[in-house]
């Protein structure tokens, strides 16, 4: 039995390597520089995109305001004008692969980081994600990464907070993203599973084994509003900011890197998954079989059964600032500090 298991593991490893090689061969450079710039302090955003015009203006504005130096867009076949729009931007790179997304996402992320962020900080972001952290307005990404480097940290853990409106999703399906950011201000404070960072029951625990978490209060969170409404125990914890140095391996999994030393506080990713007609998007993903898990089908069954679905209840809360997320324990402060980042003034909202 043991010999059979070893043979199976070796065979699976060979298949993964072959698939990774095929995925990398499929990646084409469409626009922008073919390597990193001259500034080693430049923070490189690696963004996954397919038909991202809906999000693009606000996405670029948010991360530029934080001080991002270069945007590397990993495109999977956009046909809505996204590519033409990005070609008009001086600080963007477009890489493209038309391989099925669920089979190559991690390989694509890793390739982009290793090519453009070697020796630099890489910030992974999806188009519907907005990273925020205490002191963001004062220090920006460069101040944050300098603080992390000074303490020997090579990654930042962030928790995704699913935000939604106080009315049925069907009524806001066509709301512009700028209005979404203003109106999707409610969240589910409960239905959270909290697991120790190195809990072997975590789906991707294999990739966390070699990581050091410098604050044991930091947990891996799952669930939230998607657990309550759709029965979807989705992981909310990511490692969006990674220093691509030494033996750090970025992009090994959509939620993490490996061989990293995690900071002693957490940030938040404001997540707008329920904007831009989510029922139609889930139907498209399911039709294309672009993602290998069944969560899209779970959501679709609820959307189909509840045309006037609303995520809001009387127990939901309105997000007024990051302090409440620290006070509620959703985010973790650095030990001995007055906030997430010791010495930071105020709270970014």
């Amino acid at each position: 039995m043991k010999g059979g298991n070893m043979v199976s593991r070796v065979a699976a490893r060979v298949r993964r390597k072959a698939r990774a090689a095929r995925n990398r061969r499929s990646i084409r450079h469409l626009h922008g520089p073919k390597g990193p710039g001259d500034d080693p302090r430049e923070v490189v955003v690696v963004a996954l995109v397919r038909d991202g015009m809906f999000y693009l203006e606000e996405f670029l504005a948010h991360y530029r305001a934080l001080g991002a130096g270069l945007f590397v867009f990993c495109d999977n076949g956009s046909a809505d004008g996204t590519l033409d729009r990005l070609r008009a931007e001086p600080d963007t790179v477009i890489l493209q692969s038309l391989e099925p997304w669920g089979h190559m996402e991690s390989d694509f992320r890793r390739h982009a980081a290793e090519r453009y962020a070697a020796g630099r900080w890489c910030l992974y972001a999806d188009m519907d994600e907005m990273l925020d952290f205490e002191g963001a307005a004062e220090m920006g990404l460069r101040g944050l990464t300098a603080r992390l480097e000074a303490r020997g940290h090579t990654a930042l853990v962030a928790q995704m907070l699913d935000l939604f409106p106080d009315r049925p999703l069907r009524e806001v399906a066509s709301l512009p993203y700028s209005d979404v950011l203003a109106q999707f201000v409610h969240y589910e404070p409960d239905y959270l599973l909290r697991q120790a960072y190195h809990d072997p029951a975590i789906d991707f625990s294999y990739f966390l084994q070699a990581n050091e978490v410098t604050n044991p209060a930091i947990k891996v969170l799952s669930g939230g509003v998607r657990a309550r409404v759709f029965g979807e125990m989705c992981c909310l914890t990511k490692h969006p900011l990674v220093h691509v140095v030494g033996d750090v391996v970025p992009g090994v999994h959509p939620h993490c890197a490996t061989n990293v030393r995690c900071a002693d506080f957490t940030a938040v990713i404001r997540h707008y998954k329920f904007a831009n007609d989510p029922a139609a998007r889930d139907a498209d993903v399911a039709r294309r079989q672009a993602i290998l898990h069944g969560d899209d089908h779970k959501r679709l069954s609820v959307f189909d059964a509840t045309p006037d679905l609303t995520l809001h209840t009387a127990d939901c809360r309105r997000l007024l600032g990051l302090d409440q997320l620290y006070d509620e324990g959703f985010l973790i402060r650095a030990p001995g500090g007055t906030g997430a980042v010791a010495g930071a003034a105020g709270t970014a909202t």
Side-chain angles (χ1 to χ4, degrees):
M1 178 65 70
K2 289 183 178 179
N5 288 340
M6 181 173 292
V7 170
S8 296
R9 287 197 297 270
V10 170
R13 191 177 302 118
V14 170
R15 288 194 298 270
R16 285 196 299 270
K17 287 185 176 180
R19 186 174 68 188
R22 183 177 65 250
N23 287 338
R24 295 212 175 197
R25 288 195 301 269
S26 76
I27 298 171
R28 297 184 299 144
H29 174 272
L30 300 185
H31 166 74
K34 295 187 177 182
D38 296 329
D39 186 354
R41 293 190 61 205
E42 179 179 69
V43 177
V44 179
V45 175
V46 172
L48 315 175
V49 65
R50 179 187 171 98
D51 294 338
M53 280 293 287
F54 175 83
Y55 308 95
L56 197 53
E57 296 300 326
E58 287 74 19
F59 180 91
L60 289 171
H62 176 76
Y63 288 105
R64 281 172 175 160
L66 288 179
L70 182 68
F71 294 84
V72 181
F73 287 90
C74 299
D75 181 74
N76 192 224
S78 293
D80 67 341
T82 294
L83 301 185
D84 288 339
R85 177 68 183 83
L86 289 176
R87 286 188 178 99
E89 297 297 314
D91 55 355
T92 62
V93 171
I94 305 172
L95 303 178
Q96 186 182 71
S97 172
L98 302 181
E99 287 291 306
W101 189 249
H103 291 283
M104 63 91 61
E105 175 184 359
S106 294
D107 293 329
F108 209 166
R109 288 172 181 264
R110 181 174 175 180
H111 171 79
E114 291 176 342
R115 180 170 175 176
Y116 288 94
R120 293 162 168 75
W121 285 88
C122 174
L123 173 56
Y124 286 116
D126 289 343
M127 299 302 291
D128 59 359
E129 296 178 352
M130 299 291 200
L131 179 71
D132 204 354
F133 52 92
E134 195 167 22
E138 293 78 22
M139 70 174 64
L141 287 169
R142 290 202 177 202
L144 174 62
T145 54
R147 185 266 193 198
L148 297 176
E149 286 186 50
R151 299 194 175 194
H153 300 144
T154 54
L156 175 67
V157 174
Q159 308 293 358
M160 288 195 296
L161 186 70
D162 286 314
L163 293 167
F164 48 85
D166 59 357
R167 50 194 172 123
L169 294 180
R170 186 171 66 173
E171 293 184 10
V172 296
S174 60
L175 204 64
Y177 198 34
S178 56
D179 291 340
V180 165
L181 298 180
Q183 296 184 32
F184 282 43
V185 294
H186 299 273
Y187 66 96
E188 170 62 70
D190 301 314
Y191 297 89
L192 290 172
L193 173 65
R194 302 171 186 268
Q195 295 171 277
Y197 186 90
H198 288 116
D199 187 337
I202 296 168
D203 286 345
F204 52 96
S205 62
Y206 172 82
F207 300 109
L208 302 178
Q209 292 175 9
N211 295 349
E212 178 185 355
V213 59
T214 58
N215 184 347
I218 294 175
K219 308 296 183 184
V220 175
L221 305 184
S222 302
V225 68
R226 284 184 273 171
R228 171 171 62 84
V229 177
F230 303 103
E232 178 188 351
M233 193 52 68
C234 50
C235 181
L236 303 175
T237 302
K238 285 191 171 185
H239 300 59
L241 191 60
V242 179
H243 202 192
V244 188
V245 293
D247 61 353
V248 169
V249 185
V252 294
H253 182 277
H255 284 257
C256 70
T258 197
N259 295 329
V260 296
R261 185 170 187 262
C262 298
D264 52 2
F265 65 94
T266 58
V268 69
I269 297 171
R270 300 197 309 269
H271 193 205
Y272 298 95
K273 187 173 185 65
F274 298 104
N276 192 23
D277 200 348
R281 286 188 291 106
D282 283 345
D284 178 63
V285 169
R287 176 184 57 79
R288 293 186 290 110
Q289 298 183 339
I291 300 178
L292 301 182
H293 57 65
D295 291 334
D296 306 288
H297 294 282
K298 289 181 181 179
R299 291 192 299 270
L300 275 174
S301 65
V302 175
F303 284 133
D304 289 342
T306 318
D308 290 322
L309 178 68
T310 180
L311 307 182
H312 189 266
T313 70
D315 294 326
C316 292
R317 293 177 188 162
R318 183 183 180 93
L319 182 62
L320 301 175
L322 299 193
D323 277 344
Q324 70 191 84
L325 299 180
Y326 289 108
D327 293 343
E328 293 168 1
F330 184 79
L331 299 182
I332 300 298
R333 287 186 163 97
T338 57
V341 181
T347 299
T349 57

